[in-house]
Amino acid sequence: MTKFLFFVLITVSCYTGFAQIPGGGRGAGGQIPSIGHFYGKIVDGKTNKGIDGVSVQLVKGKFDTATRSMKDTAIAGAITQKGNFSFENLPIMGAYRLKVTAIGYKSLDQKVNFDLKFGKGAAGGGQENSMDNMQQALAGIDKDLGNIKLDADAQTLDQVTVTATKPLIQLGIDKKVYNVEKDISAQGGSGLDVMKNVPSVSVDIDGNVTLRNSTPIIFVDGLPTTLTLDQIPADAIESVEIITNPGAKYDASGGTSGILNIILKKNRKAGYNGNIRGGVDERGKLNLGADLNVKQGKVNVFGSVNFNQRKSITSPSNTTRTSYIDSPFTNLRQFDYNVSKGYFEFGRFGLDYFLDNRNTISASATIVHGVFTPYINSDIYVDTLNPAGTSSYTGRNSTTKADFNNKNGMISFKHTFPHAGEELTANANYSDGSNSNNNFITSLIRQSKDGNVLSVYNQQQVGSGTNKFLTAQTDFTNPINEKSKFEAGGRISIRDVNSLSNLSIVESTGFVIPLPLSSSKYHYKDQVYAAYGSYSNAFKDFGYQLGLRAESSKYNGNSNYSVADGAATKDTLGNFSNKYPISLFPSVFLSQKLGDRSDITLNYTRRIDRPNFFQLFPFTDYSDSSNISRGNPNLKPQFTNSFELAYQLTLPKNNTLITSVYYKHTSDLITRTSIPDINPNSGDSILVNTYINAKSAYVEGFEIISRNSITKWWDVTTNINIFASKINVVDTGVLNKTIDSIGKTTAWFGKINNTFKLTKKLTLQITGDYTSKTILSPGGSAGTSSNTGGRGFGSTVSGSAQGYTKPSGGVDASLKYEFLKNKAASITLSCSDIFRSRVSDVYTMSSGQFTQEVYRKRDPQFFRLQFNYRFGKFDAALFKRKNVKGDMDSIQGSMQGAQP
């Protein structure tokens, strides 16, 4: 309770700072930035075709001190090719004139200005907020003058002040943007280290990620991915978009949580620029990386490489389990020492080719390779619970060698129309992932730890798999007028998965005895076809957005095994499939401005979670006798209806407050349970962890996120989420029985991020988080599922309707020193879990079957030292309209103090 009061007091003190903030902040410097861009096309007034060889001059009036009068001065000039012209690096303040001359045509003298409207814009669906207003302003800086004939249309100029930096958090009601470059604690780490400081997101010690206590869908650059978060270097990430209630434009998947969209770094600054970096952790493991971007003329080329070594230690790791399914009852105590070490390599390369002012082709490729060699040493004690109780001890050693590979290619096209804001995009993305692993387990069985060896049991599991993923989509945006907009698009997604697992016993002589009943060969394929449309409009201060998405999905799989696969013949486990011809997903977003600095939104969406590969896989995994698992091919998708009411207050100097109330109701919830079974190899009674469709579940909660500039040198971001959940676990599938569940529980999660500017060159960041006792996340994390928030390689499934996690929290700190000219170099020292307080303490139970508690710590009080050096020609003049949306969003935070 004291921890909860501490977070409340911190939050209240942050909000009190609002009242002490003077208004009217306009940024620093006072200089007029040269970041403007005019472009367009000169066309014949009758044929509307582009004209070659036209002289286009841009002039501006300047005061001549000699004559003490205004005098026209040529700022830029060009000769058109097929009518196209383009002028960059222009001051955004002041009045311009465009002078056009061509043989056989009437000369043209036309006023042109930057139209920086920083006002209401097209509203609806949470779109009427400061982030969209910033996008409007950026569109004004990058201005398409359209098809210019012999007549002209004068424009007006609105003022805007541009500052050089982005805040750590940009808050909008429809999404939040976390700027990774401002998070000094994540440098040298992975995507999981980034997520630890993102608002609304929680990461446990195994790397399982939850968004408002549910597993999110992970996107990279707006598209699903087969990469997991620990395979993406933190230094390759520019920002993270947190979308808690996505509208019709987004995939309908991720119903109980939302989407985390990772935006990778991609520079388009003129000339060349990049950085090199390197670091080492307390165990001597290195990370190295470099980025390079070159833009010349119509071509922009970018690349990034990273190499990371890892050594992670989980200790202590204690399991206590009491089983009641056999007589006599047994009590198991297991103590593990778990070490995971290895490395991974990451490379990303791409280019943009600007065909002309309105057409851009982009292509990129990503390659990832990793090798890990974890090992686990275990002491296992088993006692029978009867008057004549007996005991046994097993010393178990498990060693694994695993590797993974991922290759990804993307190509996209973007066309912008003369009508500002109207654009057509199309892209295709293909990922090809593969993995292999060889696990060997040796068990020495004794009556006591110091006793003689009674027997030796050796077990080997060899596995491999592939994951191929193809997506193709197109989107069209048409601003009908200043306040209304129509959007539409379509998408195809096809995933193909193969898996092979051989389980066998190895005798002391080296002779291998296959276990065909525990081995499998599996193939799985799913397809999703989608189309969407949305319309937004505004009436005065009220805005709305109505959307509808239609998705057709199907999946099919089969599991079989033969001698050719490495073991004795095994009967096919069967084919299984499911098909949903058309599912409709409506969305409604309403917004009301309550003044210049506050607004309120109400939104509703319907979404879906389809069972993933490992939840469907009917194979029983016996490789870990204390955690036997099996999928359920009869699982159905779960559907979620979500409601959210949000209020945003924005004050000067980057002070923002957002409060949200949300409610989610899910039918056919996919969740975990344990059922009794018989081990076909030994004939022993066992408990198998599997999945079921529960009847329903709901989550309701209240969330506060604030960003406060307490002083010029102290910024605070605070996040508190209080939520209640309940699972009605009446199996609607093949088990056909009621499973015990834990009733309605209330829990809370808090996170605070302090940034102190100690000197001009020295920055201190201190973050803290705390999670109360919490019912385990419905459905858990499948771990190796490519589109969820799980750690991926080496993770464990944590979700269950029959358990909870005990409280946990910790504090991290980082100190960054910047030096050299323009702060081009920096050194960062970071420490995670300073007080060794983060734990995973999970309790599960099933009435009449078992109780279990697993207590673990991973890498407490862990230090890392990082060096970074930026180089090249930095030019702020690339706010291009032809940039992708992610590029536009990443600089929204630099626009402050706009005055209409």
Side-chain angles (χ1 to χ4, degrees):
M1 185 64 184
T2 56
K3 296 184 179 70
F4 176 76
L5 291 175
F6 168 75
F7 268 94
V8 171
L9 289 173
I10 288 292
T11 305
V12 171
S13 67
C14 293
Y15 303 155
T16 305
F18 280 133
Q20 305 172 4
I21 300 168
R26 295 173 56 86
Q31 288 187 326
I32 301 174
S34 297
I35 59 173
H37 179 206
F38 285 136
Y39 61 98
K41 190 173 185 178
I42 309 299
V43 298
D44 186 286
K46 293 182 179 180
T47 65
N48 212 36
K49 293 182 178 180
I51 309 171
D52 282 324
V54 178
S55 173
V56 183
Q57 278 193 324
L58 186 68
V59 299
K60 186 176 183 180
K62 292 187 177 181
F63 185 75
D64 190 335
T65 56
T67 61
R68 303 186 65 82
S69 62
M70 297 298 293
K71 182 178 179 181
D72 283 347
T73 301
I75 302 298
I79 302 297
T80 63
Q81 295 182 357
K82 297 183 179 179
N84 292 305
F85 68 91
S86 177
F87 301 130
E88 301 185 17
N89 305 330
L90 304 173
I92 63 173
M93 305 289 287
Y96 293 90
R97 295 207 323 276
L98 196 71
K99 292 187 174 183
V100 182
T101 58
I103 298 175
Y105 290 91
K106 183 179 178 180
S107 297
L108 180 92
D109 194 324
Q110 171 179 312
K111 292 181 180 180
V112 292
N113 304 91
F114 291 106
D115 188 11
L116 304 182
K117 294 186 177 179
F118 200 81
K120 299 178 180 179
Q127 304 297 320
E128 188 176 319
N129 52 55
S130 60
M131 296 179 70
D132 267 1
N133 291 337
M134 292 173 186
Q135 281 190 343
Q136 273 194 344
L138 289 171
I141 292 173
D142 189 87
K143 187 169 182 180
D144 188 344
L145 299 178
N147 292 340
I148 298 177
K149 301 178 182 179
L150 295 179
D151 52 351
D153 184 17
Q155 304 289 327
T156 58
L157 176 66
D158 293 334
Q159 296 180 351
V160 65
T161 299
V162 179
T163 61
T165 61
K166 296 174 287 187
L168 178 67
I169 308 289
Q170 295 167 237
L171 300 178
I173 294 180
D174 59 336
K175 68 180 177 182
K176 295 90 178 172
V177 178
Y178 185 81
N179 293 306
V180 178
E181 68 178 76
K182 294 297 179 180
D183 183 0
I184 61 178
S185 66
Q187 295 179 5
S190 70
L192 288 173
D193 297 296
V194 171
M195 294 300 167
K196 292 176 182 177
N197 291 328
V198 174
S200 306
V201 175
S202 177
V203 182
D204 67 16
I205 68 169
D206 292 313
N208 294 308
V209 176
T210 56
L211 174 60
R212 289 182 175 174
N213 202 40
S214 295
T215 305
I217 299 297
I218 303 298
F219 280 10
V220 173
D221 288 333
L223 296 170
T225 179
T226 57
L227 292 173
T228 52
L229 289 172
D230 60 342
Q231 296 173 1
I232 305 175
D235 296 309
I237 301 174
E238 179 176 289
S239 62
V240 178
E241 297 178 347
I242 307 102
I243 309 169
T244 55
N245 203 14
K249 185 174 183 177
Y250 297 94
D251 278 6
S253 300
T256 59
S257 182
I259 294 173
L260 294 176
N261 184 26
I262 296 173
I263 306 298
L264 298 179
K265 290 179 179 178
K266 180 180 180 182
N267 224 325
R268 284 182 172 172
K269 296 179 179 179
Y272 71 93
N273 52 77
N275 72 75
I276 56 175
R277 53 191 172 270
V280 62
D281 64 31
E282 65 177 59
R283 298 185 179 121
K285 299 305 178 181
L286 302 177
N287 71 84
L288 303 169
D291 303 325
L292 179 64
N293 178 87
V294 179
K295 182 178 184 296
Q296 184 67 37
K298 293 186 175 183
V299 179
N300 180 70
V301 180
F302 58 91
S304 176
V305 293
N306 290 272
F307 173 79
N308 290 64
Q309 293 179 321
R310 294 183 188 169
K311 183 178 181 181
S312 178
I313 299 176
T314 302
S315 180
S317 176
N318 305 331
T319 301
T320 302
R321 182 184 182 94
T322 302
S323 175
Y324 307 106
I325 61 175
D326 279 330
S327 182
F329 301 154
T330 59
N331 180 66
L332 177 147
R333 292 170 293 126
Q334 180 172 326
F335 305 92
D336 298 326
Y337 180 76
N338 187 336
V339 178
S340 178
K341 57 183 179 179
Y343 69 89
F344 78 94
E345 302 157 328
F346 177 95
R348 182 171 183 258
F349 310 93
L351 63 87
D352 304 306
Y353 181 68
F354 307 106
L355 299 174
D356 53 42
N357 289 333
R358 295 178 185 142
N359 295 281
T360 304
I361 294 178
S362 301
S364 65
T366 301
I367 302 174
V368 181
H369 170 69
V371 175
F372 282 83
T373 56
Y375 66 87
I376 305 174
N377 296 329
S378 304
D379 296 313
I380 305 172
Y381 301 86
V382 178
D383 303 309
T384 57
L385 303 180
N386 61 6
T390 60
S391 300
S392 68
Y393 167 81
T394 301
R396 189 172 69 183
N397 176 261
S398 172
T399 59
T400 302
K401 182 177 181 180
D403 67 83
F404 62 85
N405 296 277
N406 186 281
K407 299 180 287 294
N408 174 272
M410 188 274 291
I411 186 169
S412 65
F413 170 76
K414 181 171 183 178
H415 173 74
T416 59
F417 297 86
H419 181 199
E422 184 178 2
E423 65 180 37
L424 175 67
T425 62
N427 63 70
N429 186 79
Y430 178 74
S431 294
D432 188 347
S434 63
N435 66 83
S436 64
N437 62 85
N438 189 329
N439 174 245
F440 193 89
I441 301 174
T442 298
S443 299
L444 303 179
I445 302 172
R446 313 168 191 255
Q447 188 169 351
S448 65
K449 186 173 183 178
D450 298 325
N452 295 325
V453 176
L454 302 178
S455 62
V456 179
Y457 183 78
N458 295 320
Q459 181 178 312
Q460 184 177 34
Q461 184 176 23
V462 179
S464 62
T466 62
N467 189 336
K468 299 178 181 180
F469 196 14
L470 171 67
T471 60
Q473 68 182 59
T474 181
D475 300 281
F476 174 69
T477 302
N478 182 24
I480 299 171
N481 54 44
E482 188 175 307
K483 294 185 176 182
S484 65
K485 180 171 63 175
F486 173 75
E487 295 180 271
R491 182 173 180 271
I492 298 173
S493 171
I494 301 174
R495 187 192 305 270
D496 191 286
V497 178
N498 284 280
S499 177
L500 176 64
S501 176
N502 291 327
L503 196 64
S504 57
I505 295 174
V506 181
E507 295 186 337
S508 57
T509 60
F511 183 72
V512 177
I513 304 174
L515 299 176
L517 294 177
S518 301
S519 302
S520 72
K521 182 181 181 181
Y522 179 84
H523 175 253
Y524 169 83
K525 186 174 183 179
D526 71 49
Q527 302 171 58
V528 180
Y529 303 92
Y532 76 92
S534 67
Y535 175 76
S536 60
N537 206 341
F539 301 97
K540 295 184 179 180
D541 291 334
F542 174 77
Y544 66 90
Q545 182 187 75
L546 305 177
L548 181 65
R549 186 179 185 91
E551 290 193 353
S552 171
S553 60
K554 63 179 180 179
Y555 60 81
N556 57 75
N558 59 74
S559 182
N560 55 71
Y561 209 88
S562 67
V563 176
D565 296 314
T569 302
K570 176 183 177 182
D571 293 335
T572 298
L573 288 179
N575 299 318
F576 55 93
S577 62
N578 212 328
K579 184 177 182 180
Y580 292 85
I582 294 181
S583 298
L584 298 178
F585 304 95
S587 62
V588 179
F589 290 77
L590 308 175
S591 67
Q592 176 67 50
K593 291 186 68 67
L594 304 178
D596 293 336
R597 293 180 174 177
S598 64
D599 48 32
I600 188 170
T601 65
L602 174 65
N603 56 65
Y604 160 78
T605 64
R606 181 177 189 257
R607 299 179 63 75
I608 187 174
D609 282 290
R610 300 177 181 89
N612 63 45
F613 167 67
F614 287 93
Q615 291 170 332
L616 293 168
F617 191 16
F619 168 65
T620 304
D621 184 1
Y622 296 97
S623 59
D624 184 350
S625 60
S626 62
N627 184 28
I628 299 172
S629 61
R630 178 193 303 152
N632 179 0
N634 295 299
L635 285 176
K636 298 179 293 185
Q638 63 185 33
F639 291 88
T640 301
N641 291 287
S642 301
F643 302 84
E644 185 165 350
L645 177 67
Y647 170 78
Q648 176 175 269
L649 174 65
T650 302
L651 292 175
K653 295 187 177 180
N654 288 334
N655 288 268
T656 307
L657 168 69
I658 285 186
T659 60
S660 304
V661 179
Y662 58 91
Y663 176 83
K664 299 175 183 287
H665 182 273
T666 302
S667 58
D668 290 331
L669 177 81
I670 299 173
T671 190
R672 294 205 69 186
T673 191
S674 297
I675 58 174
D677 204 347
I678 302 296
N679 189 324
N681 298 309
S682 63
D684 297 334
S685 297
I686 58 173
L687 284 175
V688 177
N689 298 315
T690 188
Y691 294 90
I692 62 170
N693 281 113
K695 182 178 180 181
S696 63
Y698 71 83
V699 177
E700 56 190 11
F702 173 70
E703 184 175 53
I704 300 174
I705 301 177
S706 75
R707 186 185 68 209
N708 304 88
S709 296
I710 306 300
T711 67
K712 292 182 179 179
W713 49 270
W714 181 16
D715 290 333
V716 179
T717 300
T718 310
N719 175 210
I720 294 180
N721 183 24
I722 305 171
F723 56 93
S725 59
K726 175 69 167 64
I727 304 175
N728 301 312
V729 193
V730 178
D731 174 43
T732 60
V734 295
L735 297 183
N736 196 27
K737 62 182 293 187
T738 300
I739 307 296
D740 293 336
S741 65
I742 296 174
K744 179 178 179 180
T745 61
T746 301
W748 70 278
F749 165 78
K751 182 180 291 187
I752 186 168
N753 189 320
N754 296 271
T755 302
F756 302 93
K757 195 70 176 177
L758 303 181
T759 69
K760 291 183 178 180
K761 296 182 178 181
L762 192 62
T763 303
L764 173 66
Q765 181 175 312
I766 300 177
T767 62
D769 61 84
Y770 179 81
T771 303
S772 70
K773 175 183 174 181
T774 306
I775 188 172
L776 288 172
S777 172
S781 170
T784 47
S785 175
S786 61
N787 61 344
T788 63
R791 182 184 183 91
F793 182 81
S795 69
T796 59
V797 179
S798 62
S800 175
Q802 302 164 279
Y804 57 85
T805 61
K806 294 185 178 181
S808 177
V811 176
D812 306 325
S814 299
L815 187 65
K816 181 179 181 179
Y817 177 71
E818 299 172 294
F819 56 100
L820 298 184
K821 185 178 180 181
N822 297 322
K823 299 180 180 179
S826 66
I827 295 177
T828 303
L829 176 65
S830 62
C831 179
S832 60
D833 195 13
I834 295 175
F835 302 110
R836 297 178 176 267
S837 56
R838 285 198 184 98
V839 299
S840 172
D841 194 350
V842 181
Y843 177 83
T844 54
M845 62 86 182
S846 180
S847 178
Q849 295 182 353
F850 75 95
T851 62
Q852 176 175 291
E853 183 175 3
V854 180
Y855 177 92
R856 294 176 301 119
K857 286 188 176 183
R858 172 176 285 181
D859 299 330
Q861 208 173 81
F862 192 75
F863 288 87
R864 181 188 293 121
L865 184 65
Q866 189 74 16
F867 170 78
N868 189 81
Y869 175 72
R870 296 179 291 111
F871 63 90
K873 176 184 177 183
F874 294 92
D875 187 348
L878 264 295
F879 295 148
K880 303 300 184 191
R881 182 183 170 205
K882 47 184 173 279
N883 283 5
V884 296
K885 187 177 185 296
D887 297 328
M888 188 74 80
D889 289 343
S890 70
I891 56 174
Q892 289 171 342
S894 65
M895 306 286 297
Q896 301 294 337
Q899 304 294 327

